[in-house]
Amino acid sequence: MKIVIPGGTGQIGRILDRALTAEGHDVLILTRRPRHDRELYWDGRTLGRWAEAVDGSDAVINLAGRSVNCRYTAANQHEMLASRVESTRVVGEAVAAAARPPRVWLQMSTATIYAHHYGTPHDEATGVLGGGEPDVPRYWDRSTDIAKAWERTQQDAPTPDTRRVALRTAMVMSPDRGGAFDLMLRLARCGLGGPIDGGTQYMSWIHDRDLVRAVRFLLDRDDLAGPVNLAAPHPVPQRAFMQALRRAWGIPVGLPATRRMAELGAFALRSDTELLLKSRSVTPGRLRDAGFGFEHPQWPAAAVDLARRLRRRA
């Protein structure tokens, strides 16, 4: 297959590029800073010569968007919104203009679109979208608003000959440097891997190899369109998540942190506490119903596998 990946130089893009290229697919990356022969320049806003790669391709997997690992200032949130909406809009324009449009367009989205809560996990059929939840900072609404606008832009694209899937993706756990697993492990190795604000908030996640397998599954399944949750079937409370991570690496103790301590730590790391404190409880209803099987459904075993692979690389 010929697969075009806008925004493919980030963590998820590197994971998919490695796996799909190793399988013999022809993968092209769209990036603002091309450095290799399989990378093409685009600005994420306007049509250009890169659109020629979309015409005649089999699939587009759009991952473009500013990283959410930042302070949630008004300026950063505006950039998060603009980078997602504009890149999705222009991908839709390229697909619509193609003489031979791609068969499928997988569009990155986020599990953050669902409401903060501690009850029954959200699936695609019964999940409640976020916004206006009581007892949370009001600026959290902005994240769900961004996610809704992101998905709406794909839904509104005039691409009747291309199947469209919105990938509501949980935290991707991989041994790659700079990813979520790497960051959490570094905190744990510094003694900071304990419960945050009680640790009852849920964490949804997906192992990198299941992410790749799910993307392959969605590329091939012509009957699946619309929102699909990319998350392991068993979200876990933050307390248990970090405990399993510490055990996988052999770290005996993790100091707990209050909400105020988390705010100070996030400020020091130039990140935001929503990433730590929002309860994200998501399950892969549509993948499950379509017969997809996870190789790493439980976090403790997945953490052991990731720690083993990270040690092997080191």
Side-chain angles (χ1 to χ4, degrees):
M1 294 175 67
K2 179 182 177 182
I3 302 172
V4 180
I5 307 182
T9 56
Q11 180 207 11
I12 295 175
R14 293 194 302 270
I15 291 169
L16 293 177
D17 184 18
R18 284 196 304 263
L20 296 172
T21 300
E23 293 173 5
H25 298 291
D26 179 11
V27 178
L28 294 173
I29 305 295
L30 305 186
T31 173
R32 289 181 174 85
R33 299 179 182 84
R35 297 176 181 174
H36 307 289
D37 57 358
R38 291 191 299 107
E39 297 179 351
L40 302 175
Y41 173 78
W42 85 323
D43 63 5
R45 294 183 176 88
T46 56
L47 289 173
R49 293 190 62 184
W50 61 268
E52 297 172 8
V54 172
D55 194 340
S57 66
D58 297 289
V60 173
I61 308 173
N62 184 22
L63 308 176
R66 190 202 196 285
S67 172
V68 298
N69 188 19
C70 63
R71 297 295 297 164
Y72 282 11
T73 63
N76 284 343
Q77 288 186 321
H78 174 76
E79 189 176 347
M80 282 190 273
L81 174 64
S83 63
R84 284 159 174 72
V85 168
E86 291 178 2
S87 61
T88 304
R89 172 188 53 76
V90 78
V91 166
E93 290 176 0
V95 172
R100 295 168 297 161
R103 179 173 51 85
V104 58
W105 169 13
L106 304 186
Q107 172 60 49
M108 179 56 65
S109 182
T110 173
T112 298
I113 199 170
Y114 292 109
H116 163 87
H117 85 150
Y118 299 90
T120 303
H122 301 287
D123 65 15
E124 301 90 339
T126 63
V128 177
L129 300 189
E133 300 97 313
D135 303 322
V136 302
R138 284 283 55 88
Y139 79 91
W140 286 15
D141 289 354
R142 184 64 171 160
S143 295
T144 53
D145 289 344
I146 290 170
K148 292 172 187 176
W150 202 4
E151 290 194 5
R152 190 164 54 247
T153 304
Q154 187 197 30
Q155 293 165 6
D156 291 345
T159 56
D161 298 320
T162 299
R163 177 169 57 93
R164 291 168 289 182
V165 181
L167 307 175
R168 291 180 176 172
T169 309
M171 287 188 299
V172 177
M173 295 292 149
S174 82
D176 294 275
R177 186 171 182 82
F181 182 78
D182 179 52
L183 174 60
M184 293 177 185
L185 181 58
R186 280 190 283 136
L187 290 173
R189 292 173 73 178
C190 293
L192 303 176
I196 297 174
D197 194 31
T200 58
Q201 65 273 28
Y202 277 88
M203 299 182 68
S204 290
W205 57 279
I206 186 169
H207 188 284
D208 63 333
R209 289 179 175 166
D210 278 332
L211 171 81
V212 171
R213 294 177 59 250
V215 165
R216 286 197 212 104
F217 188 83
L218 292 169
L219 288 173
D220 293 336
R221 285 290 296 260
D222 290 336
D223 57 328
L224 288 173
V228 174
N229 292 345
L230 295 192
H234 301 289
V236 292
Q238 186 267 341
R239 176 191 292 270
F241 187 95
M242 293 306 296
Q243 183 181 56
L245 185 151
R246 295 197 315 269
R247 285 178 176 171
W249 198 262
I251 301 169
V253 177
L255 296 176
T258 64
R259 179 179 288 259
R260 179 58 179 162
M261 291 167 65
E263 290 170 351
L264 292 172
F267 181 81
L269 294 171
R270 302 189 64 78
S271 187
D272 197 273
T273 53
E274 183 189 6
L275 301 173
L276 303 172
L277 299 177
K278 181 172 180 176
S279 186
R280 295 170 169 86
S281 186
V282 178
T283 52
R286 297 192 68 196
L287 285 176
R288 178 196 60 220
D289 294 345
F292 180 80
F294 284 81
E295 290 183 353
H296 300 277
Q298 301 282 354
W299 173 240
V304 169
D305 174 77
L306 293 165
R308 184 186 302 118
R309 288 165 60 197
L310 185 59
R311 282 193 167 102
R312 189 181 302 134
R313 290 187 181 187

